Amino acid sequence: MKRRIFLALLGALFLYGLVRLFFANQPPENRNGSVGFFGDSGLKRFPQDSVMVSAGDHYQLNRVGEFFLGRHYRRVWAEPVKAKVFRMNEVLGGLSIEKIGGGMQTTSLTLTDSSGRRFALRSLDKDPVNVLSPFWRKTFVGSFVRDQVSATNPYAALVVAPLAEAAGIFHPTPQLVYVLPADQDFKQYSNLFGNKLFMMEEKFTSRASLAKKFGAATDLVDTEEMLRRRYRSSRHRIDQWAFARARLLDLLLSDWDRHEGQWDWAVYAHKQEVWYKPIPKDRDQALCLYDDGLIPWLATRKFAMRKFESFHPKFKDVYGLTINAAFLDARALSEVSLVDFRRLAREMQANLSDSVLRAAVKRMPPPVYKLVGEDTYRKLRSRRQLLVQTAEEYYKILSKEVAVVGADEPERFVVQRLSQGRTVVEVYKLGKGNINGEKIYSRTFFVGETEKISLYGLNGDDIFDVNGSSAKGSYVNIYGGPGADQVNDKSSVEGWRKKTVVFDDSGGVQLQAGPITEAKLSGTAGEVPAFVRVRIRP
């Protein structure tokens, strides 16, 4: 079946190639509300130091092209909007270039002001063709990938900020700006950045950006640094409930691209602990609409690129929305229960009232609001009503396999197998004489929700105690990690399967096996599967 659909996709691409061959010279439909342009720059100047310009009228297609490639947000990209001219030496007292960035798609700069605050200047238009191998970039596949940028709403980030504010989620506040052609303030980058629309937003990655909205925060760090600290010491804690709230907003917006590079973290000292609260950023994929053309509809099926989930009145594929965030979700949501998710979803429904949704949508430029504003509002309103059941589905995805991760310190993992398939996992700091100290983790798992619980001791002399008996229960995988570990399995689960599996090196663990223990011991510590703390992304 999958092979047939794949062949259908290739056939559709071939047909589109023929369509482009025979219909390429047909002009696109007239746009309502467009203003007159002059010159090749495609903009109209105003004495107030602003311009009227479209984000990308090159995405316009005739009706046949839209049938194959999707209508998407092509009219939004082509619609002229008013944008303020960006002058680097005047904004915020003057900015300077720190570095060029943008990865494989976006043209971007990191700018700094005199106090050390950092700002991202990110182009609305993108070129994602570099995600393809060189062979495909100059083929119809490369053209198709470039064209699908039109599935994103270039002004979506303007809508997100007021929604995040109402939901109690930290956020940047982007501004729409335009860079003049050959602006010499950009020096060697003037040709690259000139004559384009950008979103400018603050980057919350240093103390210089601390503001009142962060309260008693002492620092701002990126995800990589946050995770490194978290796994060095159990004193460092992620505010998982704040992260869950932010992720529910992602689902509401159909923002599927939420990998770990899309977050910064505010740092708080609380008694003897350090807590990290999330700050989402980079809303390029919010409100996206991919599946309204034959070829992208085929390409985004579950067997293919299902993560490209579209913004519809109903949630079609919650799992697809979680794919890019799976790495960080597994590390930052392991403590959040189903009851927590339901509570957070209901709170968000109450905070995002109809008036809040409408005001947020009206943050789009007025000509764009006329095109898609009411439709966007109706979709947001519908998705908000479905948020609790969506949160439940999200929880089920997360709870299927859960990682309970310690730190580079001695800890005791206590597992209790109980009746009705319940498994309680608690983690304690380990004091002198192997005396339990502060409890740092506690959660009850249910066999109907969780197939596998993986315990990671990391670096340290850890103790794993597994007790209790039940008729059924989840698999418990134990990864002792480097150090002199102890595993005591006195539990039992009915059936022939071994439900406690120990991964360690034979010289680094003292194992007291029970009737359901399976030992997978290696010759050296380096052969034992290791927990991935930080994933280095390009």
Side-chain angles (χ1 to χ4, degrees):
M1 181 63 183
K2 292 183 178 180
R3 184 173 180 272
R4 291 179 181 178
I5 299 177
F6 178 70
L7 291 175
L9 175 60
L10 290 180
L13 283 170
F14 175 74
L15 288 174
Y16 176 68
L18 294 178
V19 170
R20 293 286 288 178
L21 177 64
F22 289 106
F23 295 94
N25 294 325
Q26 290 191 8
E29 298 176 8
N30 292 330
R31 300 189 301 270
N32 295 326
S34 300
V35 299
F37 297 150
F38 70 90
D40 293 333
S41 62
L43 61 88
K44 181 178 180 181
R45 298 174 186 268
F46 287 82
Q48 296 84 3
D49 211 17
S50 60
V51 299
M52 202 76 174
V53 60
S54 65
D57 56 6
H58 52 281
Y59 292 116
Q60 289 289 78
L61 291 176
N62 55 45
R63 289 186 176 180
V64 176
E66 288 185 351
F67 170 79
F68 281 96
L69 293 182
R71 186 177 184 183
H72 297 347
Y73 285 104
R74 299 181 192 279
R75 286 156 182 75
V76 170
W77 281 91
E79 189 67 25
V81 300
K82 189 175 182 181
K84 187 175 181 179
V85 172
F86 179 80
R87 302 191 185 279
M88 192 182 304
N89 59 355
E90 297 177 4
V91 174
L92 300 170
L95 299 174
S96 58
I97 298 174
E98 179 179 295
K99 63 179 180 179
I100 191 169
M104 303 179 74
Q105 298 189 34
T106 307
T107 303
S108 74
L109 279 179
T110 297
L111 308 172
T112 58
D113 67 6
S114 58
S115 66
R117 295 161 65 197
R118 293 188 178 95
F119 299 85
L121 192 68
R122 307 177 70 249
S123 61
L124 267 63
D125 203 2
K126 312 184 190 327
D127 188 357
V129 73
N130 287 335
V131 302
L132 300 173
S133 63
F135 173 79
W136 292 107
R137 291 176 190 173
K138 294 184 179 181
T139 68
F140 64 90
V141 176
S143 299
F144 170 72
V145 170
R146 285 190 182 95
D147 176 80
Q148 291 307 292
V149 172
S150 62
T152 64
N153 183 332
Y155 309 104
L158 301 175
V159 177
V160 177
L163 296 178
E165 182 72 23
I169 299 167
F170 292 147
H171 62 90
T173 302
Q175 300 178 34
L176 180 65
V177 297
Y178 171 79
V179 174
L180 290 170
D183 187 331
Q184 294 308 305
D185 288 341
F186 286 81
K187 301 176 182 178
Q188 69 268 33
Y189 306 120
S190 60
N191 291 332
L192 183 61
F193 284 80
N195 195 25
K196 290 185 176 72
L197 277 172
F198 293 84
M199 286 290 179
M200 178 182 169
E201 64 182 32
E202 189 164 0
K203 299 178 71 172
F204 299 115
T205 55
S206 69
R207 288 188 177 92
S209 292
L210 289 173
K212 289 183 179 179
K213 65 181 176 181
F214 297 121
T218 59
D219 201 358
L220 296 161
V221 298
D222 61 18
T223 300
E224 182 178 333
E225 178 61 23
M226 181 274 291
L227 289 176
R228 291 187 190 281
R229 296 181 187 181
R230 158 64 184 88
Y231 297 124
R232 280 199 298 263
S233 171
S234 59
R235 290 182 56 248
H236 294 263
R237 306 285 301 277
I238 301 171
D239 188 337
Q240 299 203 8
W241 298 266
F243 186 66
R245 182 184 296 110
R247 292 291 288 123
L248 289 179
L249 181 61
D250 296 338
L251 299 184
L252 179 74
L253 299 166
S254 195
D255 191 349
W256 56 267
D257 192 19
R258 305 306 305 156
H259 61 77
E260 54 270 31
Q262 307 285 53
W263 304 83
D264 293 319
W265 302 82
V267 185
Y268 296 84
H270 180 68
K271 296 181 180 180
Q272 300 301 314
E273 296 179 328
V274 179
W275 284 76
Y276 297 84
K277 295 181 181 291
I279 311 170
K281 61 181 180 180
D282 298 354
R283 292 296 190 174
D284 294 341
Q285 298 297 330
L287 314 180
C288 58
L289 185 60
Y290 283 98
D291 60 359
D292 61 346
L294 176 59
I295 297 174
W297 182 86
L298 289 169
T300 56
R301 296 305 87 198
K302 290 183 180 181
F303 79 93
M305 297 178 289
R306 70 184 293 184
K307 70 179 183 180
F308 292 95
E309 179 66 9
S310 293
F311 179 64
H312 292 298
K314 295 183 179 180
F315 295 84
K316 292 190 174 182
D317 184 11
V318 175
Y319 179 81
L321 287 171
T322 71
I323 292 173
N324 266 31
F327 181 89
L328 187 55
D329 280 356
R331 287 150 182 77
L333 291 173
S334 65
E335 297 182 65
V336 186
S337 68
L338 177 58
V339 172
D340 293 329
F341 269 110
R342 287 170 174 160
R343 172 180 57 82
L344 292 168
R346 292 190 182 102
E347 289 176 358
M348 185 168 291
Q349 286 178 324
N351 291 331
L352 300 183
S353 63
D354 288 355
S355 60
V356 169
L357 297 182
R358 189 172 292 281
V361 172
K362 286 190 174 181
R363 291 289 300 274
M364 288 189 287
V368 173
Y369 179 84
K370 290 180 180 179
L371 290 175
V372 297
E374 283 301 310
D375 182 62
T376 302
Y377 167 74
R378 286 192 295 269
K379 289 179 179 178
L380 284 171
R381 193 169 182 270
S382 175
R383 292 170 76 89
R384 180 197 61 195
Q385 300 305 113
L386 299 170
L387 199 55
V388 173
Q389 67 188 65
T390 301
E392 292 172 351
E393 186 173 349
Y394 182 36
Y395 168 81
K396 290 177 182 178
I397 294 167
L398 295 171
S399 62
K400 188 173 183 179
E401 295 185 6
V402 178
V404 179
V405 189
D408 294 335
E409 299 169 334
E411 290 150 335
R412 185 190 298 273
F413 292 74
V414 179
V415 179
Q416 189 73 22
R417 295 188 181 277
L418 302 175
S419 61
Q420 299 177 328
R422 293 173 297 156
T423 303
V424 177
V425 177
E426 297 175 327
V427 184
Y428 298 85
K429 294 182 180 180
L430 205 56
K432 292 182 179 179
N434 290 339
I435 301 300
N436 288 356
E438 178 188 357
K439 184 190 293 186
I440 55 178
Y441 182 93
S442 180
R443 180 172 166 185
T444 300
F445 298 91
F446 302 90
V447 70
E449 297 174 351
T450 305
E451 295 179 2
K452 181 170 64 179
I453 307 164
S454 295
L455 312 180
Y456 292 90
L458 301 187
N459 297 335
D461 299 339
D462 302 302
I463 299 175
F464 300 84
D465 291 329
V466 187
N467 299 288
S469 61
S470 62
K472 54 185 177 180
S474 306
Y475 285 93
V476 175
N477 288 359
I478 297 174
Y479 299 84
D485 304 311
Q486 299 178 35
V487 178
N488 308 305
D489 184 13
K490 300 178 182 179
S491 68
S492 64
V493 178
E494 293 179 8
W496 58 272
R497 293 185 176 181
K498 305 289 189 179
K499 287 298 185 87
T500 304
V501 187
V502 180
F503 298 85
D504 213 322
D505 65 290
S506 55
V509 62
Q510 297 179 19
L511 174 59
Q512 182 180 343
I516 62 168
T517 307
E518 180 180 1
K520 294 187 176 181
L521 304 183
S522 303
T524 64
E527 297 174 16
V528 181
F531 178 75
V532 180
R533 306 182 186 209
V534 178
R535 180 174 59 171
I536 306 299
R537 296 179 61 88

